[in-house]
Amino acid sequence: MNSTKVKKFVSQNSIWVVFLFMVILMAFLSPTFLTAKNIVSVLTTESITGILTVGVMWCILSKGIDLSPGALVALTGVVTASLAQKFEYGASRLFPNLPDIPVIVAILAGVAVGTLFGVLNGWLIAYTKIPAFIATLGTQLIARALALLYTNAYPIPELKPGLKNVAQRELFSINGASVTVVIVIFIVFAVISGFMLTQTRFGKSIYAIGGNDQAARVAGINVEKNLIKVYTWCAFCASVGGVLLAARSGAGNASVGVNYELDAIAAATVGGTSHSGGVCRISGVIAGILILGILKNGMMLLKISPYLQQVCKGAIIILAVVFDMRKNAKKA
């Protein structure tokens, strides 16, 4: 492999070079970082954010944004939890003749509620031409308010074991560290999203829309229809994340999910998804998720102030965007 090919390979995979550097650095700074328990903990913690990220990245790819996923996590979680409480604690108290609701029905109901917000987001952006930032900010506020109204700001505990197992079930262990199903679900979503990006007409259409929506129209792409699909997929990912968070914590809570969308946007941005539209690689996005997860975990191990952690995260996001802008300017 000659030097030109090496430079090209490093340039295309620079995000993974950064990832390896961070792993080596953290392993040097903290002896507990590379333990199986800590690695599995990072993967488990970042899995829900990762599922949100593989949804949000589609919005950014289409030259849009979605600020509602965090609120949809909360709304989906409380709807699912309210229908999946243990029978003696749930709706049977008010309606004694109501049959016990299966866990799968509770999950589908919660996911359906969240996904409908995605359809609404897509329709508003595609047909009313409201900027994506404003449209999704509005639906974020609506979804959060509905979650609080639905629960009166009280948590919903005493969930059925069947729902808890959706996220807490142990598949196997590595040196005493339990690998739960939530990690596998994240991997499945990442694979599906990557397949849609590279192997489907839908993925190629979104690349085209993000690059130049007018040129995409000329090429015969239905921009409005595809935008609705993008925001529906993003909301679906957030809804699944909400179900998993409720299952993992053992309760539905209307106050959870705050700033989750910002973490997802940050991970997608660090992973190379361009806010100018039309540029995204699923491998880079996964690296972005892991880099921010390692950063958060590493600073916790080093007992760095949580406020300083936010400063570091913000600086990384700014640098990632500046790098992306400079790269696009060079191409132009």
Side-chain angles (χ1 to χ4, degrees), residues 41-318:
S41 175
V42 171
L43 292 175
T44 303
T45 303
E46 296 305 314
S47 287
I48 293 175
T49 302
I51 293 171
L52 268 64
T53 303
V54 297
V56 167
M57 73 178 194
W58 285 84
C59 303
I60 300 174
L61 176 63
S62 67
K63 205 185 292 187
I65 200 74
D66 193 344
L67 300 180
S68 65
L72 295 183
V73 165
L75 180 60
T76 302
V78 297
V79 170
T80 303
S82 68
L83 298 176
Q85 277 189 299
K86 292 179 181 177
F87 191 62
E88 60 271 24
Y89 295 98
S92 62
R93 291 180 300 172
L94 299 176
F95 306 101
N97 296 323
L98 187 70
D100 193 16
I101 298 174
V103 168
I104 185 64
V105 174
I107 292 173
L108 291 176
V111 171
V113 169
T115 304
L116 283 174
F117 271 84
V119 177
L120 176 60
N121 283 336
W123 184 85
L124 287 171
I125 294 163
Y127 291 104
T128 69
K129 307 305 178 183
I130 297 175
F133 181 91
I134 300 301
T136 58
L137 177 60
T139 53
Q140 177 202 66
L141 297 174
I142 293 169
R144 180 70 65 182
L146 288 176
L148 291 166
L149 285 169
Y150 186 70
T151 62
N152 200 24
Y154 285 100
I156 302 174
E158 302 294 341
L159 305 186
K160 294 176 182 176
L163 179 60
K164 292 182 181 180
N165 286 337
V166 171
Q168 296 180 8
R169 184 179 179 183
E170 179 184 338
L171 298 177
F172 56 90
S173 63
I174 303 173
N175 293 333
S178 299
V179 177
T180 57
V181 69
V182 69
I183 298 175
V184 175
I185 293 174
F186 162 55
I187 294 171
V188 169
F189 268 75
V191 170
I192 291 172
S193 205
F195 178 82
M196 289 195 301
L197 269 179
T198 59
Q199 303 298 322
T200 67
R201 183 177 179 181
F202 171 60
K204 293 171 184 175
S205 296
I206 304 307
Y207 274 112
I209 292 169
N212 188 321
D213 60 337
Q214 294 305 318
R217 291 180 195 277
V218 172
I221 296 172
N222 189 325
V223 174
E224 288 76 19
K225 182 178 178 181
N226 279 285
L227 285 176
I228 291 175
K229 289 180 181 179
V230 163
Y231 286 89
T232 301
W233 168 253
C234 183
F236 175 73
C237 291
S239 301
V240 172
V243 170
L244 292 174
L245 185 60
R248 187 180 168 208
S249 62
N253 196 324
S255 63
V256 301
V258 176
N259 290 336
Y260 274 32
E261 66 279 354
L262 300 184
D263 288 341
I265 292 168
T269 302
V270 171
T273 306
S274 176
H275 286 261
S276 300
V279 178
C280 177
R281 290 178 66 192
I282 188 66
S283 60
V285 171
I286 293 171
I289 294 165
L290 296 176
I291 285 172
L292 291 183
I294 288 171
L295 181 68
K296 187 193 309 179
N297 176 260
M299 289 191 291
M300 287 177 62
L301 291 176
L302 297 174
K303 298 181 180 179
I304 294 174
S305 166
Y307 307 117
L308 186 56
Q309 292 180 29
Q310 295 299 318
V311 172
C312 294
K313 186 186 293 185
I316 288 174
I317 295 168
I318 292 170

